[in-house]
């Protein structure tokens, strides 16, 4: 255990600390301007980035979120600092791209990733309980596949350049954000799109958002923080390690929200949420299963892509494509309810996931 | 003592822990050598060993990879 013990963030106290820091930062990011009960949602912010570069034209969700860029770059810095940058890839890239797309589609039916499930709960949104139940159900289905030999095959060692692709893409997007900052009253600044209203128009100051993203990326890489993994490891192994981080995030965000006056319990009229409980549930079943089959929640996929894992990078690109599809095809929900084609998207998405799961079971 | 080997390189979580657990469950009275290629897997297999009461008799770097030796 000598190597494992050296990494203090990969201890129980370490991951509790990391979860707590993320929860507190989420509360303060919300206070500083990020959308309520969203604060640092990986799926929502990925959707905003897709909008910022014109992948979709939903006018209320377009902003180049520095937090997400920071996640990858912070993880990249940690991986370099601790000699864990190991370029690898080649494990069913097309399948991982599709998993990313479906994960985002499911998340946008619920309106949030597992991180936002926690943050919505911490903000008092009762609908998030349904989302949490859906997430657990989706991950549980995924564990059934794992017990039957599911895997997407081994990744291979790749060149440094392959491992650098996602960090470079994020650095490029950060450069665009710096070169083309938002302009008051303008929907475009250079090549980037910006929202004038809605969640895309709610953002924390650049410096705070980027510093928070870099810090979280660094710490999460060291601790292996993963919200989907927290549920999966309990079901598969009765292992609590990741769950301590998940709970710490919830408790810290809840306390921070209470302290900042951001806790508003209820089901109706919650920020960027709807009350169609069945589709909240099914959206997160779909997302949870996709995350399980891909091996990590969207945050973890970002952190792994910072470590040089090109397979995780392909999943992240799939998330962006899924966000574009969701808003271009009317799949995404809004506070008014699910999109016109949201039901079809969930049903088709689940069918594809079950096919992927069954087709990749390799009983020894 | 005979030693069984598991090569979990190229797999990310939860595969290395699943492979190690399956192998330990069918490895009566023998040692199990688990080869992984990333620290997260090394840590996860180590945690699985602790929670299952297995003994970690060795943990070492082998080039770019890591080797854990487990026994019941």
């Amino acid at each position: 255990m000598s190597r494992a013990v050296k990494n203090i963030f990969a201890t129980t106290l370490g991951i509790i600390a990391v979860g707590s820091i993320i929860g507190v930062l989420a509360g303060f990011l919300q206070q500083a301007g990020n959308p309520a009960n969203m604060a640092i949602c990986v799926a929502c912010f990925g959707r905003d980035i897709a909008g910022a570069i014109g992948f979709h034209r939903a006018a209320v969700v377009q902003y180049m979120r520095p937090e997400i860029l920071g996640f990858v770059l912070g993880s990249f810095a940690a991986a370099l600092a601790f000699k864990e940058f190991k370029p690898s890839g080649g494990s069913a890239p097309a399948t991982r791209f599709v998993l990313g797309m479906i994960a985002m589609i499911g998340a946008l039916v619920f309106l949030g990733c597992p991180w936002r499930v926690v943050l919505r709960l911490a903000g008092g949104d009762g609908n998030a309980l349904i989302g949490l139940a859906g997430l657990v159900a989706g991950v549980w289905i995924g564990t059934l596949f794992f017990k039957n030999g599911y895997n997407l095959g081994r990744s291979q060692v790749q060149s440094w350049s392959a491992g650098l692709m996602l960090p470079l893409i994020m650095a490029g997007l950060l450069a665009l954000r710096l070169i083309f900052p938002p302009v008051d009253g303008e929907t475009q600044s250079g090549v980037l799109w910006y929202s004038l209203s809605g969640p895309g128009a709610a953002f924390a100051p650049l410096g705070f958002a980027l510093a928070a993203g870099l810090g979280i990326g660094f710490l999460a890489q060291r601790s292996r923080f993963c919200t989907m993994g927290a549920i999966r490891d309990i079901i598969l192994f009765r292992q609590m390690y990741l769950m301590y981080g998940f709970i710490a995030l919830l408790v810290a965000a809840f306390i921070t929200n209470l302290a900042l006056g951001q806790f508003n319990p209820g089901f109706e009229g919650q920020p960027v949420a709807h009350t169609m409980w069945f589709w909240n549930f099914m959206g997160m079943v779909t997302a949870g299963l996709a995350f399980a089959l891909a091996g990590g929640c969207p945050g973890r996929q970002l952190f792994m892509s910072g470590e040089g894992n090109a397979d995780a990078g392909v999943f992240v690109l799939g998330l962006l494509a899924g966000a574009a599809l969701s808003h271009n095809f009317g799949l995404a929900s809004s506070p008014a309810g699910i999109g016109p084609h949201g039901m079809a998207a969930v049903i088709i998405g689940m069918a594809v996931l079950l096919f992927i799961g069954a087709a990749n079971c390799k009983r020894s | 003592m005979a030693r069984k080997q598991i090569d979990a390189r190229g797999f990310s979580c939860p595969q290395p822990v699943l492979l190690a657990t399956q192998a330990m469950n069918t490895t009566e009275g023998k040692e199990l050598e688990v080869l992984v290629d990333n620290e997260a897997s090394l840590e996860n297999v180590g945690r699985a060993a602790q929670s299952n009461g297995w003994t970690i008799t060795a943990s070492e770097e082998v080039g770019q990879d890591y080797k854990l030796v487990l026994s019941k």
Side-chain angles (χ1 to χ4, degrees), chain A residues 136 138-150 228-240 242-243 292-293 295, chain B residues 12-19 21-22 25 44 48 51-52 54:
Chain A
V136 172
V139 175
W140 175 75
I141 297 169
T143 64
L144 297 181
F145 286 117
F146 280 115
K147 287 175 180 173
N148 282 283
Y150 170 86
M228 183 285 297
I231 298 164
R232 178 200 63 202
D233 285 359
I234 286 181
I235 298 171
L236 269 180
F237 310 123
R238 305 286 183 264
Q239 180 69 250
M240 281 293 291
L242 291 173
M243 182 52 73
L293 295 180
Chain B
S12 53
C13 291
Q15 297 296 339
V17 178
L18 277 169
L19 292 171
T21 303
Q22 287 168 355
N25 288 340
N44 288 337
S51 62
N52 284 294
W54 307 330

Side-chain angles (χ1 to χ4, degrees), chain A residues 20-40 115-125 128 248-265 270-271:
Chain A
S20 301
I21 290 169
I22 296 173
V24 171
L25 280 174
F28 279 98
L29 281 166
Q30 178 178 329
Q31 189 198 41
N34 278 3
N37 291 4
M38 191 181 293
I40 201 160
W115 288 43
R116 188 160 190 244
V117 168
V118 178
L119 296 174
R120 282 172 61 169
L121 274 176
D125 182 349
L249 168 56
L250 173 63
V251 172
F254 172 67
I255 293 171
T256 307
N257 281 336
L258 278 180
L260 298 177
Q262 297 175 163
F263 181 73
N264 300 296
Q270 290 289 337

Side-chain angles (χ1 to χ4, degrees), chain A residues 3 86 150 154-155 224, chain B residues 9 15 39 61 64:
Chain A
R3 294 279 314 181
K86 290 187 174 179
Y150 170 86
R154 294 178 195 269
S155 61
R224 330 300 182 194
Chain B
R9 289 176 297 178
Q15 297 296 339
E39 291 218 12
E61 291 184 56
Q64 297 289 307

